[in-house]
Amino acid sequence: MGLSAAALLWGLPGLLLTIALHPALSPCPAQASVPAHRDYCVLGAGPAGLQMAYFLQRAGRDYAVFERAPGPGSFFTRYPRHRKLISINKRYTGKANAEFNLRHDWNSLLSHDPRLLFRHYSNAYFPDAGDMVRYLGDFADRLGLHVLYNTTIAHVTLNKDQRAWNGHYFILTDQKGQAYQCSVLLVATGLSVPNQVDFPGSEYLDGYESMSVDPKDFVGQNVLILGRGNSAFETAENILGVTNFIHMLSRSRVRLSWATHYVGDLRAINNGLLDTYQLKSLDGLLESDLTDLAIVKDHEGKFHVTLKFFLEEGNRGADAVPLPQDDNDNFALRVAYDRVIRCLGWNFDFSIFSKSLRLSAGGELSKKYPLVKASYESKGSRGLFVLGTASHSVDYRKSAGGFIHGFRYTVRAVHRLLEQRHHGVTWPSTEHPITQLASAIIRRVNEASGLYQMFSVLADVVLLEENATAFEYLEEFPMQALAQLETITGRRARHGLFVINMEYGRNFSGPDKDVFFHDRSVGHTEDAWLSNFLHPVIYYYRHLPTEQEVRFRPAGWPLPRPTAIHHIVEDFLTDWTAPVGHILPLRRFLENCLDTDLRSFYAESCFLFALTRQKLPPFCQQGYLRTQGLVGTESLRQHGVESGLLRDYATVGRGDSGQQPGDHRPGQHPLAPGPPVSPFDSNKEEL
C-alpha cells in the first residue's frame, strides 16, 4: 500500500524536523534568553584579576574572569614603553623564610606553588616587562584559572532583584552582545586612559602611549616633555644621550621616592635628568600650570611655548602669535622645540559603566580613580569592588596599594571579606594563650610581608578574650575599616584589642624632606616614639573604635587616639628581635595594658608562687597547674643563680647572699623567687 502525503509529512524525519522548528514556527513570541550567571565576575586578567581568581578558585567559588586581550597581562605587552619595570626583583636575602622574602619580591603573586615566584622568571633586579607577561601567562595556566579571553565587556549596568545577594545583579554585555549576570562584580581593569590636559596646541603633542621609542628618531633634537613622573623620566632617560637638550615641564615639583617613601614617585633608576640639570648640562626642569600655556607651530614645523591669554586676544596666524620672549627676553622656554611629548599618567576608564553604578563623583581624585571605601567596595554600589591599581585612592601617595607588592594583599583582604559576607566563613585567625602574645607580635613584625608593604593601610588585630586569658590573632585587616571589624570578619571584639601596624615617622616623609640628615636614626628604646624609619607601632583599645572616632581621628594618624600606644624602636636591619631593645619593652607595654605578668616560669617558680601569692601569673595557671610547666633541673637552677635570675635558696638564712635573714624586697615573701627565667629577659630587675 502506498504512503499518503500526510504520512510523508508526519513520518519520523518530518516529525523531528517539526519539533526542532517549533519555537520558530510558534505564533507566540519567544522569551528573552537568560544571561549566563556567575556568582563572581572579575573584569581584567592583569595581576589583580588573576590574584582574585586564584583565591576564588581555591575557595571553590563560581567565578569567571573577562579579558579583552588574547592573554593575561595585556598592559605589560606595551607598557612601560621602554620595557624596564621599576618593581624590584630581589632574588637573595640571606633568609629561607618565604614570607619574609616576599617583602623584597615586588612582582610575585600569592599562591601555594613555589614555582610561581617571579625570581624564576628573571635574573634582573629591574626586570623586563616581557618577563611579567610570561609570568602572568604561566600563573593563569598552571593554576587553571577560568579566564574568558578575547571578551571585551562593553557595558555594565544594574538589574534590581531582591533575590540577589546585594539586592541587584550586575549585567555585563560583551562586544558580541552576549550578556552575563553577576552577583558580585570585581573590577581589576587598572588605569588605561591616558591623562590629557586640554589647552591650545595640545593636538601637537606626542603621547607616551604612541611616541617612538627609538632614540635614533630624536638625534639632534630639542625636546620638551610634559610631566614629572616615572613615565616622563623614563622617556627622558631613553633619549638623554642623543638630544640637544631635554626640558621637562610640570605643575608640581619633582617628588623623589626616597624622600616621600612612596614607590610611585620618581625612582633612582630613571633620574639621570636630575644630574644633567643640576650639573648644568643643558637639560632642565620647570614648574608651571599647563592649563595656562599654549603650544604654537611655526611655518618650519617648530613648536613654541606661549601663554594662553596671548591667543585669546584675537585670531592670528601661527607666526603672528605673541610669545613671552617678546616682552621678556629672559623667558626660560624661549627656544623652539622639535617635539613636545605628553607623559601625564593614566586614568580609570569609566566609559563602560552605567551612571547608575555611581563610580565617580566628579572630584579631582575621582577623575583618576573610582570612589571606594576602606574595604575597597564601591561607595555607590554594594557588591562592586575595585581591585589592584584602580583601588589606589585608598592609599594614594601613602602606601603600595597601587602596585603588585601591595595589592596582592588588599585583594586577599577583599576575598576574606566576601567569604564572610556571602558564605559565612569567618576571617582566618589563630587562637593562643595570652602568654604567647609578645612572641606572636614579634614573629609577625619580623616576617609578615603584607604589614611591611601595606604600612599604615593593613594591620594585624589581636582580639582579647574575657579576663585576657587568651587571644585571637587576625592578619592584614584594612585599618580604616576598623569600626566595621565585627561585621567584616565575623569575630567579636568585646574585651579589648591591639592593632599592630608598620609606620614611618610622622615628619620624615615628603618631597621637601632631607631624609639623609645627621642623626636621622633613633637607637635608644626611650626614644622609640621618635623613630623615623619604618617600624612597628602597637595600638591598644579597651573598646572597638566607632565610625565617628575613625573618621575624625587626629590629623596624620592612621587610627583614632588609643588607650595606649607603643613604638618598637626602628632597627637598621629591620630585625626586631633584640631581647632588651625590642622584646622587653614590648612585653612590659602589653603587661601594663593587661595588668598581668606575661613571663614564662620554671615549674619550681610556679610552685613557690602557688605558696606565696594569691594570683598566679597566666603562664603558671595555663602550664604548671595543668602539669605542663618547665621542669627545672639542678644545672638549670645553678645557671639561674649564677646569672642572677634566681635566688640561691640554700643560702637564705645563712647570710651568704648578702642579705640578713628576714630581709626581702617590699611586697615579696622571703622564699619567693627573684625574676624568673624568661627567654626574652636579659636584665636583672624585677618588674
Side-chain angles (χ1 to χ4, degrees), residues 87 295 431 524:
S87 49
I295 303 290
E431 296 186 18
H524 298 293

Side-chain angles (χ1 to χ4, degrees), residues 323-332 334:
L323 300 176
Q325 55 264 37
D326 295 340
D327 296 323
N328 179 5
D329 59 7
N330 193 35
F331 178 60
R334 60 185 180 273

Side-chain angles (χ1 to χ4, degrees), residues 328-551:
N328 179 5
D329 59 7
N330 193 35
F331 178 60
L333 298 176
R334 60 185 180 273
V335 296
Y337 296 96
D338 298 289
R339 290 178 185 261
V340 183
I341 304 174
R342 169 180 42 77
C343 300
L344 300 174
W346 307 89
N347 294 328
F348 181 78
D349 185 2
F350 292 94
S351 65
I352 68 171
F353 298 96
S354 167
K355 290 184 178 180
S356 63
L357 297 175
R358 295 180 292 170
L359 271 180
S360 174
E364 188 63 31
L365 187 61
S366 65
K367 292 179 182 178
K368 185 176 182 70
Y369 296 109
L371 289 173
V372 295
K373 304 174 185 176
S375 61
Y376 301 94
E377 188 170 19
S378 167
K379 291 184 177 180
S381 300
R382 180 177 170 84
L384 191 160
F385 291 82
V386 181
L387 310 175
T389 302
S391 69
H392 197 26
S393 62
V394 172
D395 64 310
Y396 183 58
R397 293 198 182 281
K398 296 177 183 177
S399 197
F403 310 90
I404 292 176
H405 61 291
F407 65 61
R408 61 192 177 194
Y409 301 106
T410 61
V411 168
R412 182 163 64 184
V414 170
H415 177 255
R416 289 170 172 171
L417 180 156
L418 293 171
E419 286 290 294
Q420 159 61 16
R421 178 185 291 184
H422 299 303
H423 309 288
V425 179
T426 53
W427 195 283
S429 71
T430 54
E431 296 186 18
H432 307 273
I434 199 66
T435 53
Q436 296 180 16
L437 180 54
S439 59
I441 294 173
I442 287 295
R443 181 183 63 83
R444 285 288 294 170
V445 300
N446 279 287
E447 295 178 0
S449 179
L451 289 183
Y452 194 83
Q453 299 295 2
M454 289 304 296
F455 56 88
S456 297
V457 177
L458 297 181
D460 286 359
V461 179
V462 170
L463 302 179
L464 299 171
E465 294 190 3
E466 190 173 5
N467 298 323
T469 58
F471 65 92
E472 286 185 283
Y473 201 105
L474 284 65
E475 299 177 358
E476 297 162 17
F477 183 82
M479 294 176 65
Q480 299 306 308
L482 188 61
Q484 299 94 43
L485 181 137
E486 293 186 335
T487 301
I488 291 175
T489 66
R491 306 285 178 181
R492 297 294 185 182
R494 299 299 171 82
H495 306 290
L497 65 154
F498 291 96
V499 180
I500 298 93
N501 180 37
M502 303 289 283
E503 299 178 15
Y504 279 97
R506 296 262 161 79
N507 297 308
F508 190 52
S509 304
D512 57 344
K513 301 294 185 181
D514 175 14
V515 293
F516 298 104
F517 67 90
H518 187 63
D519 291 335
R520 59 188 173 274
S521 61
V522 174
H524 298 293
T525 303
E526 59 269 23
D527 297 325
W529 65 282
L530 295 172
S531 294
N532 287 312
F533 287 93
L534 195 65
H535 63 285
V537 183
I538 296 90
Y539 296 75
Y540 171 63
Y541 296 93
R542 291 195 179 95
H543 307 284
L544 190 66
T546 65
E547 290 267 13
Q548 189 172 16
E549 288 172 337
V550 172
R551 182 177 180 184

Side-chain angles (χ1 to χ4, degrees), residues 46-168:
L50 295 183
Q51 185 67 86
M52 177 54 79
Y54 167 76
F55 290 125
L56 291 171
Q57 181 142 313
R58 292 282 286 180
R61 304 306 173 200
D62 175 40
Y63 79 95
V65 181
F66 299 89
E67 171 55 49
R68 62 184 178 183
S74 59
F75 180 87
F76 294 100
T77 62
R78 184 166 180 80
Y79 304 106
R81 294 299 311 280
H82 303 94
R83 311 310 293 147
K84 182 173 286 190
L85 300 176
I86 59 174
S87 49
I88 65 174
N89 177 38
K90 191 170 181 61
R91 301 173 66 233
Y92 303 102
T93 65
K95 301 289 183 66
N97 186 295
E99 178 69 14
F100 174 86
N101 288 339
L102 280 173
R103 289 184 168 189
H104 310 286
D105 173 354
W106 291 11
N107 300 285
S108 294
L109 297 178
L110 304 178
S111 82
H112 63 281
D113 190 343
R115 297 174 300 171
L116 292 173
L117 292 173
F118 194 84
R119 61 185 177 88
H120 300 308
Y121 288 79
S122 175
N123 294 329
Y125 192 69
F126 293 107
D128 186 88
D131 295 327
M132 177 59 73
V133 176
R134 185 164 54 92
Y135 170 75
L136 295 175
D138 282 358
F139 190 90
D141 292 343
R142 288 185 179 178
L143 298 172
L145 304 182
H146 305 153
V147 185
L148 301 177
Y149 295 112
N150 299 306
T151 304
T152 301
I153 298 302
H155 187 63
V156 181
T157 189
L158 283 178
N159 180 23
K160 294 188 179 299
D161 191 324
Q162 294 303 314
R163 296 169 298 177
W165 287 351
N166 297 292
H168 51 251

